[in-house]
Amino acid sequence: MMTDLDLNWVLSTPALLGVAAASIAVLLTLIMKFKVHAFLALIIVSLLTAVATGIPTTQLMPTLLSGFGGTLASVALLVGLGAMLGRMLETSGGAQVLTDALIHRFGERKAPLALAVASLMLGFPIFFDAGLVVMLPIIFAVARRLGGSFLSYGFPAAVAFSVMHIFVPPHPGPVAATGLLGADVGLVLIFGLVVALPTWYVVGHLFGSYVGRKYNIPVPSILRGSTGDFTDFASAPKVGTIIALLLLPILLIFMNTGLNMAATAGLVSLEDTWVQVLRAFGETPIALLITVLLAMFLLGKRKNKSSTLIESVVDSALGPVSAVILITGAGGMFGGVLRASGIGGALAESLDAVGLPVIVAGFVIAAIIRIAQGSATVALTTTAALLQPVVMGNSTFNPVELAAIVLALAAGSVFAGHVNDSGFWLISRFFEMDTKTTLKTWTVGQALVGVVGFVIALAIYLIASLF
């Protein structure tokens, strides 16, 4: 079998970097110009890159499948279970109950803040586009009742879903990057919240208030007629039930991370049975599984819903996320090829030569790929694949630094979404804004999310490097 070292004797560092640049260029060309699905494009580019870098034909499929399967092992469970939980919250009416309670709690004057808080909470298990669509009827109804520019209500909520989707597991981008870079998913979740919440405040709240004053957007009529009685609240779950279901996986995962930190500090031993059991409950897939099962009982059987209906609701969550899971796995395949080819080592040498820190290089690369092809998930997984050998080959990174690098890449991957991003058109069409206004509001807002998120991630990295 030909090793990474053998391949580096075949191709020089400039040649390997040239192949890396060409592979990304081909990937972007296939996706943007020829409209090839990202899943197919990643497979094609992975295969071509493997051939171009001299991986033996006998090792082509093992290399491709190893990268693909290794990524799916960590991603598929999290994304699938997270989607199931989100679907249960949506169909039970829990999302609307929570929002209504928050508006009652905050008052009408702070309705935009209430909607955004609900979106931040629901954004933990629900994907950006799905969560936004769930919230839109509620946002429309509140905006019609209270008046003013729709952006004052819709923009903060949309940014809330965006920051949760891009920075916080179990969403696919941060989960995939966490696996590719060997970071701890619990730490990424904790520091993801540390990055996401201040970023939302700056962009969603402050910038959102500015665009709400500057652009007087009427309340859209696209869902008029579906904004009356959303749910039979007499049979809807209690708000405390929804909050408990949203907090449970976070608390379980925090327990796992807390025990790991306590073991490092010498307060507990990882050899103790009780510690191992509690840590097992705090593993992210198990924490989400427990939450999904509890949600099925509390939101389904306890409400006298049939088992068939519950099964249908849970099953309906998997179809929409299958493409995301496969694209993420294909990104891992690309990473496997890059690891086997030696491109990662060449990239490490180049970064060392120019003195560009890995965390800065990762943000810049992810931002460039994001602007070029639109998909945040593709940008994040591709960049993580490129930097994986650099990061994994440096044993000096501590766990917090690794988490910060993941979040810096995530910040780059959300930067300045524009006309080649499906989320851009989702906002444009549902908010009934023209392209120019959407560029001035949403695109600028996404650029700010990237910059503010990167600054916070960099601060975490620099502080962690002192210890």
Side-chain angles (χ1 to χ4, degrees), residues 4 42 60 114 130 132-133 137-138 150 172 180 200 230 236 239 242 262 269 280 282 312 331 339 374 421 447-448 451:
D4 292 359
L42 282 165
L60 279 179
L132 184 61
V133 170
I138 306 167
F150 176 71
L180 287 168
W200 171 82
F230 308 112
V239 64
I242 302 303
S269 173
S312 298
R339 289 194 303 273
D421 174 29
L448 289 174
V451 172

Side-chain angles (χ1 to χ4, degrees), residues 74-315:
S74 60
V75 171
L77 282 175
L78 302 190
V79 175
L81 290 169
M84 287 180 176
L85 176 59
R87 185 65 175 155
M88 289 291 295
L89 294 176
E90 173 191 348
T91 56
S92 69
Q96 293 140 0
V97 170
L98 177 60
T99 303
D100 186 66
L102 286 171
I103 292 176
H104 177 74
R105 171 86 176 177
F106 283 87
E108 290 188 351
R109 242 177 40 122
K110 295 183 178 179
L113 178 61
L115 292 171
V117 169
S119 298
L120 286 168
M121 296 180 69
L122 295 172
F124 171 71
I126 301 177
F127 287 4
F128 166 75
D129 51 356
L132 184 61
V133 170
V134 169
M135 285 293 296
L136 276 176
I138 306 167
I139 298 171
F140 289 165
V142 172
R144 287 195 185 99
R145 186 174 72 194
L146 302 182
S149 174
F150 176 71
L151 281 179
S152 298
Y153 306 92
F155 191 88
V159 172
F161 281 111
S162 176
V163 297
M164 294 299 284
H165 184 88
I166 202 62
F167 290 118
V168 182
H171 294 290
V175 168
T178 297
L180 287 168
L181 299 182
D184 180 270
V185 70
L187 286 177
V188 173
L189 191 154
I190 293 171
F191 288 107
L193 291 172
V194 171
V195 171
L197 296 180
T199 300
W200 171 82
Y201 180 78
V202 172
V203 183
H205 180 62
L206 298 181
F207 183 69
S209 298
Y210 165 75
V211 298
R213 294 191 302 268
K214 185 174 177 63
Y215 301 97
N216 185 21
I217 304 298
V219 179
S221 59
I222 189 169
L223 295 182
R224 187 179 290 276
S226 64
T227 54
D229 296 327
F230 308 112
T231 303
D232 178 7
F233 283 94
S235 62
K238 295 181 179 179
V239 64
T241 301
I242 302 303
I243 294 175
L245 288 174
L246 292 172
L247 291 180
L248 177 60
I250 298 177
L251 293 176
L252 289 174
I253 293 169
F254 280 5
M255 178 178 66
N256 178 288
T257 303
L259 287 172
N260 288 339
M261 295 175 65
T264 302
L267 300 178
V268 299
S269 173
L270 295 180
E271 302 299 321
D272 292 342
T273 302
W274 70 272
V275 173
Q276 294 177 4
V277 171
L278 291 179
R279 287 179 68 235
F281 280 117
E283 293 289 348
T284 306
I286 296 178
L288 283 173
L289 175 62
I290 292 171
T291 307
V292 168
L293 294 175
L294 187 60
M296 292 173 67
F297 173 73
L298 294 177
L299 304 180
K301 291 192 176 297
R302 197 171 178 181
K303 300 298 179 183
N304 298 319
K305 305 297 183 183
S306 68
S307 300
T308 302
L309 175 60
I310 297 171
E311 182 182 359
S312 298
V313 169
V314 172
D315 183 67

Side-chain angles (χ1 to χ4, degrees), residues 348-374:
E349 292 177 11
S350 298
L351 289 176
D352 289 340
V354 300
L356 193 63
V358 171
I359 191 169
V360 177
F363 171 76
V364 172
I365 293 170
I368 291 173
I369 297 176
R370 158 69 164 181
I371 291 171
Q373 55 80 46

Side-chain angles (χ1 to χ4, degrees), residues 4-15:
D4 292 359
L5 183 60
D6 296 328
L7 290 172
N8 282 323
W9 284 104
V10 176
L11 293 178
S12 64
T13 294

